[in-house]
Amino acid sequence: SLPPPPPRTPADVWLQIGHIHELQKNFAGAMEGYQSGLADDPNHTKLMQHVAWLKLQDTPFANVVEATQLLRRSSELDPTDAQTWYLLGRCHLAAKNYTNSHTSYQQAVYRDEKSPTLWCSIGILYFKIGQHKEALDAYSKAIRFNPHMSAVWYNLGTLYESCRQIPDAKDAYQHAIELDPERQCIKARMQGIARLAENPHLSVEEVNRDLPSYLDPVVLPCLDRLTESTAGDAAASQMVIAAMQQDSGAAVAAFAAAAAAA
């Protein structure tokens, strides 16, 4: 039989409180939860990842340098965690340090070679440095592991478009828009494809001047850490159910009570 899961710590509970706030885009509440957890356990690598992710995004806490420092510390504490290496690669990419980004992504691949999010980001790196064949290979792997990510289909479309492979680009954008029909940049790309077909003299850059050349995959680590560490705990199950139903008030209250009791 499997060994019993480790007990839930106060820092683990603060992680879940912060994460629920993050899912609701309450970034101040998320950061408060994560920092409360780090105050209890300064070496909690998952909390470091979440704080770094907030600092990597377009939030009031954005600071790529601080995010990189946190993730380097996290990688020293637990070098086996693919998520840390992946986020470190994202930091280096944001700083246009492409060599270090590639190195970090490679470390992540060694530890989690079937992550579609990782392969999508590797494709973006190769696209940015003009290695289109390698970008195509990476996007293809991402799609093989998860064909339901609109971002990777969009990125595949922009790659094909940059190579003037218009029919292939149109097919990729069609997949993207089926998965994310409200995303305006995908609709605009489809319209641009039609313009290019009607006006072959136009350049891809002219048609798509104001559109993103790629979409970053979204990283939202799930709540599996809590469910693994509290298997069979009825109160924890209620917390997870509340969170999954996006009843943030009930979920945060339940987690806060658990944090106080832990």
Side-chain angles (χ1 to χ4, degrees):
S1 62
L2 294 174
R8 185 175 71 250
T9 68
D12 290 332
V13 178
W14 281 117
L15 170 64
Q16 306 310 324
I17 292 172
H19 184 62
I20 292 170
H21 283 304
E22 186 178 343
L23 289 171
Q24 300 296 321
K25 300 191 182 300
N26 176 6
F27 299 122
M31 184 62 80
E32 182 179 355
Y34 298 148
Q35 294 291 8
S36 295
L38 284 173
D40 182 79
D41 181 359
N43 294 329
H44 197 295
T45 56
K46 289 298 181 183
L47 281 164
M48 291 179 188
Q49 289 176 5
H50 279 257
V51 172
W53 175 238
L54 285 183
K55 290 179 179 291
L56 186 56
Q57 295 182 83
D58 182 17
T59 72
F61 307 101
N63 189 316
V64 174
V65 173
E66 290 181 2
T68 304
Q69 291 171 345
L70 264 175
L71 291 165
R72 281 177 175 158
R73 175 163 165 70
S74 179
S75 70
E76 291 168 359
L77 290 166
D78 182 8
T80 67
D81 193 330
Q83 183 82 343
T84 295
W85 290 108
Y86 168 70
L87 291 173
L88 194 53
R90 289 278 293 263
C91 284
H92 289 311
L93 187 64
K96 298 184 179 180
N97 191 334
Y98 300 131
T99 300
N100 284 355
S101 179
H102 183 270
T103 299
S104 296
Y105 284 154
Q106 195 63 53
Q107 290 294 324
V109 168
Y110 291 151
R111 293 158 175 82
D112 185 8
E113 63 182 14
K114 295 184 179 181
S115 167
T117 303
L118 171 57
W119 283 110
C120 181
S121 292
I122 291 172
I124 291 169
L125 169 62
Y126 282 130
F127 179 75
K128 287 177 74 72
I129 62 178
Q131 295 183 215
H132 290 169
K133 181 181 180 302
E134 289 79 5
L136 176 60
D137 289 344
Y139 290 149
S140 298
K141 286 181 179 178
I143 290 169
R144 184 162 76 248
F145 295 132
N146 182 2
H148 305 297
M149 292 173 57
S150 64
V152 71
W153 285 108
Y154 178 93
N155 296 346
L156 184 61
T158 64
L159 173 63
Y160 280 134
E161 209 173 341
S162 68
C163 301
R164 297 295 291 204
Q165 294 177 234
I166 304 304
D168 291 328
K170 182 179 180 181
D171 181 64
Y173 291 143
Q174 188 61 48
H175 278 91
I177 207 165
E178 288 171 3
L179 293 166
D180 192 357
E182 301 304 317
R183 184 69 73 93
Q184 291 301 316
C185 61
I186 305 175
K187 294 179 181 179
R189 285 280 180 175
M190 289 291 283
Q191 294 165 357
I193 287 287
R195 284 187 63 196
L196 286 172
E198 295 171 0
N199 303 280
H201 62 282
L202 290 176
S203 69
V204 171
E205 291 73 19
E206 286 178 287
V207 172
N208 301 306
R209 184 173 293 113
D210 299 322
L211 297 175
S213 58
Y214 63 88
L215 296 178
D216 279 314
V218 175
V219 180
L220 282 176
C222 64
L223 295 169
D224 56 358
R225 182 182 176 90
L226 178 78
T227 54
E228 287 172 0
S229 64
T230 55
D233 184 330
S237 299
Q238 290 175 357
M239 296 176 205
V240 174
I241 291 169
M244 293 304 183
Q245 291 174 338
Q246 295 189 345
D247 184 352
S248 59
V252 169
F255 280 127

